[in-house]
Amino acid sequence: MKFLMTGFEPFGGDAKNPSWEAISRLKDGYDGVEVVKAKLPVTFDESLKALETLIKTHKPDVVICVGLAGGRKEITIERIGINIDDARIADNAGFTPVDRSIRPDGPAAYFSNLPIKAMVNAIRDQGIAVAISNTAGTFVCNHVLYGVMDYIQTKAPEIRGGFVHVPYTTDFSQDYPEQPLMDLNDIVRAIEIAMTCISKTTVDLKISEGTVC
Ligand code: PCA
């Protein structure tokens, strides 16, 4: 089974992006799993183009895009990508779209088709903080999640895809003393557990990971 695993370049003034730090540390293969790693630009216009080229080139069975969610204390497995770009900060090309549809004729949202409950369960079993998230924001990560699911639904329904957000890592303690931080080794391990889980799971678990507002 071939996995395309992506992280992002730094953005917003940070020197590093923990998502790429984690992805770059994955091995090229695990038991029965081949891993292709790539770094995506943090730009609305180029990120999805780059991802589509990678999918066409490598023909993966599974695509997992990983990004930074600074301020979150857990690894978060994203459930849904929504059809909107609404940037609070400029992307790395200096572009700040406001209330722009990603696909003007597309549905309002797409669900990830990864076994998100099984992934949360497997990661939590190993003592790593993890949760389902019901919003990937409205910046480049949501753009990529919506875009990859649009590609899958319309062009390659055999692919399973989704998005994982990770917290800041402990080496950001000087930059962000107030932010929750996670050890990079735990993030790498969580991603490895998620890949193993996906390779062994065809039907997701029916367990509640819901929230009440
Ligand atoms: N996080 C941003 C974009 C790139 C990244 O790592 C986001 O959550 O949209």
Side-chain angles (χ1 to χ4, degrees), residues 7-11 17-20 40-44 66-70 72 78 89 92 136-144 163-166:
F8 281 100
E9 66 182 3
F11 70 104
N17 188 322
S19 67
W20 176 246
L40 296 181
V42 181
T43 66
F44 287 96
V66 180
L68 166 71
R72 289 190 186 170
E78 298 294 347
I89 58 171
N92 284 357
T138 54
F139 193 50
V140 176
C141 289
N142 172 72
H143 184 87
V144 163
F163 201 99
V164 175
H165 264 121
V166 300

Side-chain angles (χ1 to χ4, degrees), residues 18 21 56 74 91-92 107 114 116 124-125 157 183 212:
E21 297 304 311
K56 284 179 186 145
E74 300 136 325
D91 71 10
N92 284 357
L114 296 177
I116 59 171
R124 190 180 290 140
D125 263 3
D183 195 309
V212 179

Side-chain angles (χ1 to χ4, degrees), residues 47-204:
S47 53
L48 266 182
K49 286 185 199 152
L51 187 62
E52 287 191 20
T53 302
L54 286 160
I55 294 173
K56 284 179 186 145
T57 306
H58 297 286
K59 302 188 175 27
D61 302 292
V62 180
V63 181
I64 306 181
C65 302
V66 180
L68 166 71
R72 289 190 186 170
K73 61 184 189 306
E74 300 136 325
I75 306 258
T76 40
I77 315 294
E78 298 294 347
R79 191 197 298 260
I80 191 164
I82 59 175
N83 190 4
I84 199 87
D85 291 331
D86 190 9
R88 181 173 57 75
I89 58 171
D91 71 10
N92 284 357
F95 186 43
T96 315
V98 172
D99 293 351
R100 179 183 78 161
S101 295
I102 300 168
R103 298 276 181 263
D105 300 325
Y110 284 111
F111 290 118
S112 165
N113 64 357
L114 296 177
I116 59 171
K117 302 284 182 74
M119 290 160 69
V120 165
N121 214 47
I123 295 167
R124 190 180 290 140
D125 263 3
Q126 297 303 312
I128 299 170
V130 62
I132 299 285
S133 159
N134 297 299
T135 174
T138 54
F139 193 50
V140 176
C141 289
N142 172 72
H143 184 87
V144 163
L145 172 56
Y146 184 91
V148 74
M149 296 317 300
D150 182 66
Y151 183 90
I152 288 171
Q153 297 296 337
T154 59
K155 299 197 178 80
E158 69 284 359
I159 298 179
R160 290 189 289 168
F163 201 99
V164 175
H165 264 121
V166 300
Y168 274 120
T169 42
T170 46
D171 50 338
F172 281 88
S173 60
Q174 305 265 311
D175 305 280
Y176 302 116
E178 308 291 321
Q179 296 285 8
L181 307 171
M182 191 178 270
D183 195 309
L184 180 59
N185 292 319
D186 285 342
I187 295 177
V188 174
R189 209 153 55 86
I191 294 169
E192 290 172 342
I193 295 165
M195 290 193 297
T196 307
C197 169
I198 293 163
S199 73
K200 296 193 168 133
T201 308
T202 44
V203 180
D204 199 3

